[in-house]
Amino acid sequence: MRTICLALLLFVPSISVAVDISIGGVSLVIPNPVGFSPVTQQMTMLFDIEKQFVAPANEEFVAFIPEREVSAALRDDPADLHRRFTVQTAKSLVGVPVSTSDFLKLKNVIKSQNDELMKKIEGQLPGVMKEINEGITTKYDVDLALSVAQMVPLPVHQETDRTVAYSALVKYDAKDGNGSPAPFVAVVTTTFAHVKGRVLFLYSYAEESGLDWSKQASLEWANAVFAANPSNPQTSVKEVLPSAISGIDWEKIGAKAVVGAIVGLLIGLIGWVIKRGKAS
């Protein structure tokens, strides 16, 4: 029996429990959030559509979807993706080493100016949404008519020397398959993580009722990321040295993270997009 079991294991594909990424030459290990799996190129349609929902000023390194939806994604079938995770950062930070003092400046901006950041980006959102709508319409013949109706940032709920996290509720206007109004509300928890001299935007997305889940899941995932990427002596020394960078506008970095969070929430509509895409 043991021989048979071992033989069967040879035909079972290995399941990745972590993803290796590189940011500006710094290698990082990103553990899977519990119960989630990474989006891979084998999920052809989802992998392609995922790129449509990344803010232009951000770079995404990996996204995670519920394990129960992997089979559907591999078949290019619609999947429930209201709860998911992504790892991003601002493109302007990819090759930039960030010291402890730099990260403190970013944290102070997030803690003291988050409401103002939300207001500042309101003028950017119509252009971003227009670009997303046009891209989806051109590629999949779907008119989502997406727009942001309201954003409600919540106070920072978690902070350490290496993290700061807050959540937001966002109301969107959209059209359903019949062209009728279909507004919806979703939530996102954004955790800024200072890992080996780099800044990660860790996004945890959920439906409107999933705010508490999003906060807790984001905290657990961030802890797992730090456990998988302990600082070595060389990195630690660089992080405590005086800042080697100048001219970084941390308000703009915070704003880019907000835009990334808002755009990423739209992936909850992906099932409809895939369904229409397959029909085409």
Side-chain angles (χ1 to χ4, degrees):
M1 178 63 72
R2 181 181 178 185
T3 302
I4 295 175
C5 291
L6 290 174
L8 288 173
L9 287 175
L10 296 176
F11 296 93
V12 178
S14 61
I15 299 175
S16 171
V17 295
V19 178
D20 295 325
I21 66 172
S22 177
I23 302 180
V26 177
S27 298
L28 298 175
V29 178
I30 307 298
N32 294 11
V34 176
F36 287 74
S37 293
V39 174
T40 66
Q41 293 187 31
Q42 287 70 38
M43 305 171 189
T44 309
M45 187 170 288
L46 175 58
F47 187 82
D48 183 63
I49 295 177
E50 174 80 26
K51 299 174 185 176
Q52 306 290 330
F53 293 95
V54 178
N58 285 5
E59 181 170 340
E60 182 175 275
F61 299 95
V62 62
F64 297 91
I65 63 173
E67 290 176 351
R68 65 178 180 276
E69 303 298 336
V70 168
S71 295
L74 288 171
R75 296 193 303 268
D76 288 341
D77 286 340
D80 179 2
L81 303 179
H82 288 90
R83 293 189 176 186
R84 53 190 286 276
F85 299 82
T86 68
V87 180
Q88 299 182 23
T89 195
K91 290 179 179 177
S92 57
L93 288 182
V94 168
V96 177
V98 176
S99 69
T100 300
S101 61
D102 293 326
F103 188 68
L104 179 60
K105 294 175 185 176
L106 175 59
K107 287 201 303 178
N108 289 337
V109 166
I110 300 304
K111 290 189 294 182
S112 64
Q113 303 179 40
N114 218 29
D115 288 351
E116 289 79 3
L117 289 177
M118 287 281 187
K119 294 176 182 177
K120 285 182 179 180
I121 68 166
E122 285 180 354
Q124 304 175 28
L125 290 178
V128 174
M129 293 296 139
K130 182 175 182 290
E131 185 175 337
I132 290 174
N133 284 320
E134 289 177 349
I136 293 295
T137 299
T138 299
K139 197 169 184 69
Y140 301 102
D141 191 28
V142 176
D143 182 13
L144 299 178
L146 291 165
S147 63
V148 177
Q150 186 179 13
M151 300 178 292
V152 181
L154 302 177
V156 167
H157 62 263
Q158 191 267 338
E159 179 187 2
T160 69
D161 289 344
R162 289 186 174 273
T163 63
V164 63
Y166 72 94
S167 300
L169 290 86
V170 186
K171 181 180 179 181
Y172 299 89
D173 288 330
K175 291 182 180 179
D176 63 18
N178 298 317
S180 301
F184 67 99
V185 177
V187 303
V188 57
T189 294
T190 301
T191 299
F192 297 84
H194 188 209
V195 187
K196 287 189 173 180
R198 292 295 187 267
V199 173
L200 302 181
F201 304 161
L202 303 179
Y203 294 123
S204 170
Y205 304 101
E207 70 287 354
E208 183 178 6
S209 62
L211 176 59
D212 289 341
W213 174 87
S214 177
K215 290 180 178 181
Q216 184 62 31
S218 184
L219 173 61
E220 293 174 359
W221 184 37
N223 289 339
V225 170
F226 284 111
N229 298 278
S231 292
N232 54 43
Q234 183 179 11
T235 300
S236 298
V237 168
K238 288 183 178 179
E239 288 180 339
V240 299
L241 289 175
S243 177
I245 58 178
S246 61
I248 294 291
D249 187 332
W250 295 108
E251 286 188 29
K252 286 186 177 180
I253 297 299
K256 289 175 182 178
V258 172
V259 175
I262 291 170
V263 171
L265 276 171
L266 299 172
I267 207 77
L269 296 176
I270 209 71
W272 178 30
V273 175
I274 289 178
K275 190 179 296 183
R276 286 290 298 274
K278 290 189 72 174
S280 300

